[in-house]
Amino acid sequence: QQVLGSGAIQSLAARAGLSPDAAGSQLANLLPGVVDKLTPGGEMPQGDILSTGMNLLGGLFGDK
């Protein structure tokens, strides 16, 4: 919640059919892998990394 904010967590939780607490726990487990995918070779990509990350997270939780 500190990284993404409670609104983003609630939105992802609703899309995934999870409680915000459960979604937060899942994100805590997934976030290191997401950061790794968003920063290939340890380099910050060009463009809107936040939108890219949110799209990737949304894909992990599935569109509902």
Side-chain angles (χ1 to χ4, degrees):
Q1 285 183 346
Q2 290 175 340
V3 173
L4 299 176
S6 62
I9 300 288
Q10 290 176 356
S11 176
L12 285 170
R15 288 178 60 190
L18 300 171
S19 72
D21 287 339
S25 293
Q26 291 293 326
L27 284 172
N29 292 328
L30 294 171
L31 199 54
V34 170
V35 170
D36 188 49
K37 289 186 182 296
L38 292 174
T39 55
E43 296 293 323
M44 203 61 152
Q46 298 295 318
D48 185 1
I49 190 170
L50 183 58
S51 291
T52 303
M54 292 302 287
N55 288 336
L56 181 58
L57 287 171
L60 291 173
F61 281 99
D63 292 328
K64 288 201 172 208

